[in-house]
Amino acid sequence: MAGSGEQWDMEADVIVVGSGGAGLTAAILAHDHGARVIVVERSDKVGGTTAVSGGGLWIPMNDHMSEVGASDSREEALVYCKAITAGQAPDDLVETFVDTAAVMVRYLEEHTPLRFKATEMPDYRAEEEGAKLGGRTLGPEMLVKSELGEWGEKLRPSPLMFVPLTIEEGLKGMAQPKSIPVDVVVDRMKKGLVASGNALVGRLLKGCLDRDITILLETRARELVDESGRVVGLRAEREGRPLTIGAKGGVVLACGGFEWNDELRDKHLLVSVAGFCSPAHNEGDGLAMAQAMGADVDNMAEAWIYPGGAVPGEEHEGNPVSRWIMAERTLPHVILVNKAGQRFANEAQNYHDFGKSFEDPANLPCWAIMDGQYRSKYPVFTMLPGDPDPDWLTKADSLAELASATGIDAAGLDATVARWNDMVAQGKDADFSRGEGGYERWLGDPKAEHPNLGTLSEPPFYALPVYAHSAGTKGGPKTNTKGEVLGEGGQPIAGLYAAGNVMANIAGPGYYGGGGTIGTGMTWGYLCGKNAAGAAKAAAAASA
């Protein structure tokens, strides 16, 4: 750490570390509240985890809910959010999120190119008190990439979300692949439109470029600089050389979680993770810097865990592509079983809650067991109905042969499938209530006899291996309602702020709904930017 007399290579009022949704939001708000802002990004691309995501935001009481015939209230949102956090997130943080999220979205729509539309996606636990069957998840409007000029090529590409589809088109198209508007999609691609996380980040980036906010790529933050207990700058590396940047108002950490750090992940997480959909630069840099300043941490065992898989040989930026198991667990004619051949959870529930079942190592790996009915109607990763069966999908003419080929207990699998078929005939999953929740029914096949239930009775049978994958971690430094990082004694560390996956997420062990990660991250980015700019003004006044 450095004291007074530090020689700065660059100076600003606020430094933002990370260029995802939380970081760019913080940068815009800090600028708009009078601060000179510098954004530092470790990689050579803008957007972080946000850029490779679906781009949705979960925002209670947002102004767009009427577009899908929904309404909301503070009371309903608080009841629902506090049920999801299960008492493991401070009430004042949850209340601040509920009170600020829609204000954040409104501000960005009024002051940047960012635009949203409501979706009909239900909340992840749609049966909880205060939940909604649609309207709280917002999708970003698409962006013509060329509007970004040369920065368009600096948007982080996604290995999965590269086709310009809305959130609803993509998810609903799983059950009905022919419903995807191919002609419309081709026209969008000809126009250079991008969707999902690229649209969200691209519009935020355009807001930063319109403000002439400095963005330094390939600049890795290494150490916070303090002066008399206050964070006043940053030491970084740029093009192999040290770079020091001063910041009167402090530093906003928004540089992602630690999911790619083997040591930290093995130390803290309860699940053995086999794959990641986030950028490989998320190694816990922000966590390390905050802890070096004495930050108190929380939620370290939690992560955004989802059932995932991989196509052998498929890579993106030198790493295996992590594919989400979605259609392959929510649609009819498929179940997930462990090595004993037993189901162990409601396959169609939201991915985050399903991921909790992987805390029992007996459920890793597991297998998606499908039959010919599934294969004739629905996709398996990129493989559509009618495509030749690939080598990476185990296929057999009987369940016994399938069990032998995968190492699954044959008797267990046979008994499980028999019981499953009996329950399907009754129209009810008596074991795990699959298909009874609003969210899972929304993800199902509306044209099937039951959106989520279907027998496994027509050969051939298939088995797809499923592992625990991660979209990021949820643990990190605690913050207060201003976004300030808290020290061991609960007092703010002056000049240090955090937003996004780098901080202890305010959903605790839960997940509110589609876009809950980005919604909370950008809300905290909004708070951090405003308050860091205010601290810069106060520091300038004190030194005048």
Side-chain angles (χ1 to χ4, degrees):
M1 303 300 172
S4 58
E6 181 82 22
Q7 297 299 308
W8 307 115
D9 297 311
M10 302 177 71
E11 292 189 62
D13 295 315
V14 175
I15 300 170
V16 177
V17 183
S19 66
L24 296 184
T25 300
I28 289 169
L29 267 294
H31 173 278
D32 289 4
H33 284 76
R36 292 173 300 136
V37 182
I38 293 176
V39 177
V40 298
E41 165 59 47
R42 175 177 166 177
S43 76
D44 64 345
K45 296 288 191 295
V46 174
T49 306
T50 309
V52 300
S53 74
L57 277 70
W58 192 84
I59 304 293
M61 299 189 296
N62 71 74
D63 296 340
H64 295 273
M65 294 185 73
S66 61
E67 296 169 359
V68 293
S71 61
D72 205 356
S73 70
R74 184 176 190 269
E75 180 182 8
E76 289 173 304
L78 284 176
V79 167
Y80 176 72
C81 287
K82 290 182 179 181
I84 297 300
T85 64
Q88 297 182 48
D91 282 353
D92 62 337
L93 300 190
V94 177
E95 291 166 10
T96 297
F97 168 64
V98 168
D99 291 337
T100 309
V103 177
M104 176 271 296
V105 167
R106 189 179 307 125
Y107 182 90
L108 291 176
E109 288 193 305
E110 291 175 352
H111 296 89
T112 77
L114 205 55
R115 300 292 182 270
F116 293 100
K117 290 183 178 179
T119 75
E120 294 182 344
M121 183 188 295
D123 293 342
Y124 274 179
R125 293 189 189 170
E127 285 59 60
E128 292 278 0
E129 183 181 356
K132 295 293 177 179
L133 289 173
R136 284 175 174 163
T137 295
L138 298 176
E141 288 194 0
M142 296 181 192
L143 168 73
V144 178
K145 191 175 176 180
S146 61
E147 291 182 23
L148 298 174
E150 63 180 16
W151 281 89
E153 298 309 310
K154 296 173 184 177
L155 268 184
R156 176 166 297 284
S158 170
L160 302 179
M161 308 291 183
F162 54 86
V163 177
L165 294 169
T166 67
I167 291 173
E168 289 174 303
E169 287 170 346
L171 290 175
K172 302 301 284 184
M174 296 188 308
Q176 300 290 330
K178 293 182 180 180
S179 72
I180 294 175
V182 177
D183 292 345
V184 174
V185 171
V186 170
D187 185 60
R188 291 171 185 167
M189 296 179 76
K190 287 180 179 178
K191 292 177 180 177
L193 286 166
V194 293
S196 306
N198 262 209
L200 175 59
V201 167
R203 288 181 176 273
L204 284 170
L205 174 59
K206 184 67 164 59
C208 290
L209 297 176
D210 290 345
R211 290 164 169 78
D212 291 323
I213 292 173
T214 299
I215 301 175
L216 303 178
L217 300 180
E218 299 183 86
T219 304
R220 185 175 184 179
R222 285 294 195 180
E223 184 182 18
L224 298 166
V225 181
D226 82 310
E227 182 178 287
S228 303
R230 178 183 184 84
V231 174
V232 295
L234 180 74
R235 289 198 186 94
E237 291 178 5
R238 180 173 170 81
E239 298 178 347
R241 299 178 181 178
L243 176 71
T244 59
I245 311 173
K248 295 177 183 177
V251 175
V252 178
L253 299 175
C255 46
F258 58 84
E259 65 273 12
W260 282 87
N261 186 312
D262 294 348
E263 181 180 351
L264 289 175
R265 193 177 66 249
D266 292 345
K267 178 181 179 181
H268 294 290
L269 298 191
L270 302 177
V271 176
S272 178
V273 180
F276 315 91
C277 68
S278 60
H281 304 91
N282 291 353
E283 296 182 302
D285 290 357
L287 173 66
M289 288 186 288
Q291 287 185 304
M293 287 296 300
D296 194 8
V297 298
D298 197 12
N299 223 36
M300 294 296 289
E302 297 288 341
W304 312 104
I305 301 294
Y306 60 93
V311 174
E314 191 176 41
E315 291 190 348
H316 178 73
E317 297 184 339
N319 293 298
V321 172
S322 168
R323 292 201 167 271
W324 294 60
I325 306 292
M326 291 287 285
E328 305 87 352
R329 63 183 175 86
T330 61
L331 296 176
H333 311 297
V334 60
I335 59 174
L336 266 63
V337 302
N338 56 22
K339 299 181 189 73
Q342 299 172 345
R343 295 177 66 221
F344 52 90
N346 173 359
E347 297 94 338
Q349 67 187 308
N350 72 81
Y351 80 80
H352 183 267
D353 284 350
F354 186 90
K356 295 287 187 182
S357 65
F358 291 143
E359 292 176 10
D360 183 348
N363 297 327
L364 285 173
C366 60
W367 287 264
I369 306 297
M370 318 163 198
D371 74 348
Q373 298 174 91
Y374 181 98
R375 184 71 184 86
S376 68
K377 299 176 184 177
Y378 309 121
V380 182
F381 290 161
T382 57
M383 185 177 61
L384 296 176
D387 290 343
D389 293 326
D391 294 339
W392 45 262
L393 184 64
T394 302
K395 176 181 178 181
D397 290 330
S398 69
L399 290 173
E401 292 176 21
L402 195 71
S404 177
T406 56
I408 299 171
D409 181 80
L413 179 60
D414 189 67
T416 295
V417 170
R419 176 165 175 77
W420 171 255
N421 289 341
D422 286 343
M423 291 191 296
V424 171
Q426 300 299 318
K428 182 178 178 63
D429 175 10
D431 293 338
F432 297 106
S433 301
R434 174 171 160 181
E436 295 180 21
Y439 173 75
E440 54 205 72
R441 292 179 73 90
W442 182 79
L443 278 179
D445 183 352
K447 294 186 178 181
E449 185 174 347
H450 187 290
N452 309 101
L453 307 182
T455 59
L456 290 167
S457 56
E458 295 186 11
F461 298 95
Y462 300 87
L464 177 70
V466 179
Y467 297 85
H469 287 207
S470 175
T473 51
K474 301 172 66 177
K478 295 179 179 180
T479 70
N480 61 17
T481 58
K482 296 181 178 180
E484 296 172 308
V485 172
L486 302 179
E488 296 284 351
Q491 295 301 310
I493 298 173
L496 185 59
Y497 304 81
N501 282 356
V502 74
M503 64 177 271
N505 191 270
I506 61 167
Y511 201 152
Y512 301 130
T517 313
I518 302 174
T520 54
M522 287 178 59
T523 300
W524 244 245
Y526 173 93
L527 294 168
C528 290
K530 286 180 59 178
N531 290 306
K537 287 182 180 179
S543 62

